[in-house]
Structure formats: structure tokens, C-alpha cells
Amino acid sequence: MSKILLLPGDGIGPEVAVEIERVIAVLNRDFGLGAEIEHDLLGGVSIDAHGVPLTDAALAKARASDAVIMGAVGGPKWAKVDYAIRPEQGLLNLRSGLGLYANLRPALCYAALADASTLKREVIEGLDIVIVRELIGGVYFGHPRGIETLPDGQRRGVNTQVYTTSEIVRIARSAFELARQRSGKVCSAEKANVMESGLLWREEVTRLHDAEYPDIALTHMYADNCAMQLVRAPKQFDVIVTDNLFGDILSDAAAMLTGSLGMLPSAALGEPGKPGLYEPIHGSAPDIAGKGVANPCAAILSLAMALRLQLGRADLADKVEAAVGKALDDGYRTADLIGEGEVKRVGTTGMGEAIAERLA
Ligand code: NAD
């Protein structure tokens, strides 16, 4: 019996979370998954109920679960709340509270959606890559940082890019382990040509590779070239591992190769054996919240990532991903997905049902 903590959150979060539950129900009924779902509050709904975006009790529940799946947080209702207790802060607290240092963002292009990308069909059709981004180090966290006023009256902004051996090794290990479950290829992206932290990154990744992962085909690429290659010929990659800043940018670029935000799942992982956080990359979409039109695919595909990476059920992850692909092949489209010819326009529930039926 595995325990999944579901944190639906705000806006469209609860709407897509219902579809995650629908799929879990089918997996329990037809495939013996044996998952038990618990619920708690995260984000604005938690602020409304408890005054904070993540309670200690909710964090404890997350730590005690096998996997945590969330919908989305945030919205205009909480835009004026103090920074320290914003809905988004709840998510940051959850990530740091669970020690989640590896962000995995797949970019997968379903054949039925190949025309939704701004790139040509032949460049992205069949694309299946993962960006592994370091999530809790680097320039977003390094010290010194801040804005100061100099004696001559100018202002100076400072951030510090900093990585240690252990931070690099653990994220590189995540990438190599993932690559072993895929095609066995890792590309490491940094700026070793102009940054000492990049040089250290390259040396440590290489050292770990030579010592423990000689079976993996490792290449190195400067991050700027990697950005160019991602839009030129993305299918050359399988797993890309990179730091927090470059990963932020490269993963957004990769995400858009595949069309809609509503299709993209992600995972944030910590130490092996500890619960990871699985979430669609989209936000709470206040513009469409409550209308029943949100695309639940990213949320359902986040569940598939949890099955594969956390719950030891890669077989069921394959089935869920195939069911999403089949629903798209059969013409089901939420409003965010373009459709040509005979498409079946559906809302959140309709898409969830189409996927659940194909899974059953
Ligand atoms: P967003 O991802 O919520 O929405 C961007 C656009 O994409 C909107 O037009 C929205 O309608 C559309 N969209 C998003 N998900 C969709 C889906 N599943 N189906 C159909 N259309 C979808 O980003 P935003 O508007 O910049 O942010 C809204 C709120 O969400 C903010 O409060 C922001 O801080 C928060 N946010 C939360 C997360 C998270 O919870 N992980 C991530 C990003 C943004």
C-alpha cells in the first residue's frame, strides 16, 4: 500500500486534481496499484484556513507519504499578502522542507500535437527529453547578494553563483540514474569557458561519470550552445543536466517545443527513498479557474512520473502515458490544444474521462 498526498491548491489546481484521483481509482481497481490518497491544503486555501501557505502538519504529512502530488498555487486573491506568506512561498517551503534538489522536466511531444509547436513537425515529432535542473543552489541562493548604494551614488546589484562538490555530485547522480532508465545519454550544460563554478561543475560531473557511470554516454555543452541546439535539433538530446539558473531558462525553452503548458508534468526529487513532489508546470490559471476547461493532462502525467520514479510502477506509468496519447490520437482536445479536422472539444472532466476510459 503506497500513500499519496494530494495537495490540490488554488485556481485550476483542484479541478485537475479531481482527474488525478479519477486515474488513481482506475489504477487501484484494474491494476492493483493499492494507493491510498490523503489530502491537505497548500497555497492560498491554506492561508485562508490557517494563515500560512503550508502548515507544519501538512509538511509532516508530506514527509510521511510515499509521493506528493500537487495541483497549483496562487491567484489574485492573495496578491497583496505579505511576501513571507504568499501562496508561492508555501511551495518553496515544501520543496526545501522535503530537501528537493533535483527538478526533472520532461519535454515530450505527442504526435497528435506536433503542429501545436512553433517549430516544424519534423524537428519535434517524437521528441522525448528530460532536463534535470539543480533546484536549491547556485545563483538564486548564493551569498553575497543584495542591492547596495556605492559612495559615488550609483547602485550595485549582486548575486553569487556558487556550487560545492556535493551539490554537483548529487544532481549529476540523479541525471545518470535517470539516463540508465532511458537511452543512457547525458549532456551536461554549463559555462566552463567563462565561469569557475562552471569549470568545477564540468570536472565533478566528469569525475563521477568515470568512477561510477562509465556505461553512460556523457557529453558537455556550453549552456548558450545548448539553448541553440534545443531549438535547432532537440532530438539529439536525452537527459540534460544543468544548474539552477541555466536550467530555469533551458527547461522553459524545452517546454515550449511541445506546444501547451497544459501538457507538461514535472518532478522535484531529493534523496533516494524520500518522497518527491510531482506537479504540472502550469500555475493556477486564474483566468480560466472555475470554468471546467483546464487541461488535466499535465496533472495526470505528473502522476505517471510519480509511478515511474517513486512508486516503482514504471509499467503503470507507461499505461497512463499511453492512455493520454490515445485520447489525443482519438481527437480529444481541451481548449488550450489546437485541433484540426474532426476533434472532440472537451472540458477538464471530459478529458479526464477519455483518459480513464482508455486506461481501463
Ligand atoms: P499559469 O500557468 O497559471 O497560466 C498561464 C496561461 O496558461 C493562462 O492563460 C492559463 O489559462 C493557461 N493555462 C495554464 N494551465 C493551463 C491548463 N492546465 N489548461 C489550459 N490552460 C492553462 O501562469 P500565470 O498566469 O503566470 O500565473 C497564475 C498564478 O499561478 C500566479 O499566482 C502564479 O504565481 C502561480 N503559479 C503557480 C505555479 C505552481 O503552482 N507551481 C507555477 C506558475 C505560476
Side-chain angles (χ1 to χ4, degrees):
M1 174 70 79
S2 46
K3 255 199 293 189
I4 295 176
L5 176 64
L6 195 56
L7 301 167
D10 309 315
I12 63 169
E15 298 170 40
V16 297
V18 168
E19 304 312 318
I20 295 176
E21 295 201 61
R22 188 191 304 282
V23 171
I24 292 175
V26 175
L27 294 172
N28 279 341
R29 188 193 67 202
D30 294 355
F31 300 101
L33 172 63
E36 182 189 305
I37 306 174
E38 287 191 302
H39 297 85
D40 216 316
L41 303 178
L42 174 71
V45 285
S46 177
I47 296 173
D48 290 349
H50 305 294
V52 288
L54 176 72
T55 61
D56 292 344
L59 179 59
K61 225 190 248 182
R63 287 198 176 114
S65 66
D66 293 300
V68 184
I69 306 182
M70 63 168 272
V73 296
K77 183 178 176 194
W78 305 280
K80 297 214 164 73
V81 170
D82 188 63
Y83 241 95
I85 57 154
R86 284 268 174 95
E88 293 78 4
Q89 191 60 43
L91 180 53
L92 297 181
N93 293 349
L94 185 61
R95 284 179 183 155
S96 61
L98 293 175
L100 306 176
Y101 57 79
N103 187 207
L104 273 58
R105 281 228 210 160
L108 203 143
C109 184
Y110 286 94
L113 299 181
D115 293 320
S117 171
T118 48
L119 297 189
K120 292 196 191 87
R121 172 178 273 274
E122 59 268 27
V123 176
I124 43 103
E125 188 169 13
L127 179 75
D128 179 2
I129 65 176
V130 183
I131 303 218
V132 178
R133 166 192 172 193
E134 200 288 325
L135 199 57
I136 53 176
V139 74
Y140 293 167
F141 292 88
H143 285 270
R145 63 183 300 157
I147 299 176
E148 61 185 356
T149 302
L150 300 175
D152 67 358
Q154 283 199 83
R155 297 206 303 152
R156 192 169 85 121
V158 178
N159 289 93
T160 304
Q161 167 81 335
V162 52
Y163 273 106
T164 60
T165 300
S166 59
E167 287 174 317
I168 299 167
V169 166
R170 68 184 183 180
I171 190 72
R173 189 180 296 286
S174 301
F176 289 136
E177 290 290 337
L178 181 68
R180 273 191 179 154
Q181 298 170 34
R182 296 172 52 93
S183 77
K185 258 175 32 179
V186 171
C187 176
S188 171
E190 29 57 12
K191 292 281 287 177
N193 49 341
V194 287
M195 295 169 75
E196 284 77 3
S197 59
L199 183 60
L200 181 77
W201 182 282
R202 186 175 286 220
E203 288 175 358
E204 296 297 345
V205 170
T206 304
R207 199 192 313 271
L208 178 69
H209 169 262
D210 295 351
E212 296 183 38
Y213 297 94
D215 53 309
I216 302 291
L218 171 67
T219 53
H220 302 275
M221 200 178 267
Y222 297 136
D224 49 344
N225 183 28
C226 187
M228 188 181 80
Q229 296 298 334
L230 267 177
V231 288
R232 192 186 71 85
K235 284 189 262 183
Q236 70 184 283
F237 297 109
D238 184 35
V239 175
I240 295 174
V241 62
T242 189
D243 74 15
N244 203 344
L245 173 64
F246 297 137
D248 197 358
I249 297 163
L250 294 176
S251 64
D252 266 27
M256 282 324 292
L257 297 175
T258 67
S260 171
L261 222 48
M263 291 303 303
L264 294 162
S266 75
L269 307 180
E271 293 304 326
K274 294 275 170 62
L277 176 65
Y278 299 83
E279 54 170 317
I281 71 160
H282 61 72
S284 57
D287 53 333
I288 57 167
K291 297 186 179 156
V293 299
N295 182 352
C297 289
I300 291 170
L301 293 169
S302 300
L303 167 66
M305 289 190 83
L307 290 165
R308 184 184 310 282
L309 299 172
Q310 194 102 48
L311 304 175
R313 296 303 304 263
D315 57 328
L316 298 187
D318 288 344
K319 286 192 195 309
V320 172
E321 287 164 359
V324 171
K326 185 77 176 49
L328 295 171
D329 288 344
D330 290 346
Y332 288 87
R333 296 285 188 278
T334 44
D336 57 307
L337 303 175
I338 63 145
E340 286 162 7
E342 286 291 299
V343 299
K344 304 178 182 80
R345 287 272 163 222
V346 285
T348 311
T349 311
M351 187 58 120
E353 284 172 350
I355 293 166
E357 277 164 20
R358 279 151 188 80
L359 178 64

